[in-house]
Amino acid sequence: QVQLEESGGDSVQPGGSLRLSCAASGIRRSIYSMGWYRQAPGKPRELVADITSAGSTNYADSVKGRFTISRDNAKNTVDLQMNSLRSEDTAVYLCNVVVIEPSIFGRYQYWGQGTQVTVSS
């Protein structure tokens, strides 16, 4: 069974830091990318950051310079280091894994259940 195990969510003060981790298991195909999305109440889900197996990264404009994503391909884990946190970073953060099967033009996505990040004074 495919499982994405997320950890690291917490409540912190503005300017604080958190590190989110996600470990993927049960995925039989090679993982193309891993990343993090976030969902705030009343707002659409948005990509925060992701990273490919080759190390290519991209970030939402709102987190550039503050967040850093990293990946351990051998362990199928991805981390998101979040610094200088702001109240607007408050959301449920969900781990995302993308697997591509080029032979059949297939794309598969898996999602974690989410971990809560709250930034408040």
Side-chain angles (χ1 to χ4, degrees), residues 4 6 20-24 31-38 46-53 56-59 69-71 77-80 93-98 109-112:
L4 303 184
E6 302 155 315
L20 305 182
S21 296
C22 176
I31 295 174
Y32 172 72
S33 68
M34 302 183 72
W36 290 92
Y37 286 68
R38 65 186 179 188
E46 66 171 345
L47 173 68
V48 179
D50 63 12
I51 182 169
T52 70
S53 60
S56 179
T57 61
N58 67 91
Y59 297 88
I69 193 165
S70 60
R71 177 181 176 184
T77 60
V78 62
D79 292 347
L80 183 68
Y93 285 69
L94 303 101
C95 182
N96 171 260
V97 176
V98 175
Q109 293 195 49
Y110 303 95
W111 295 91

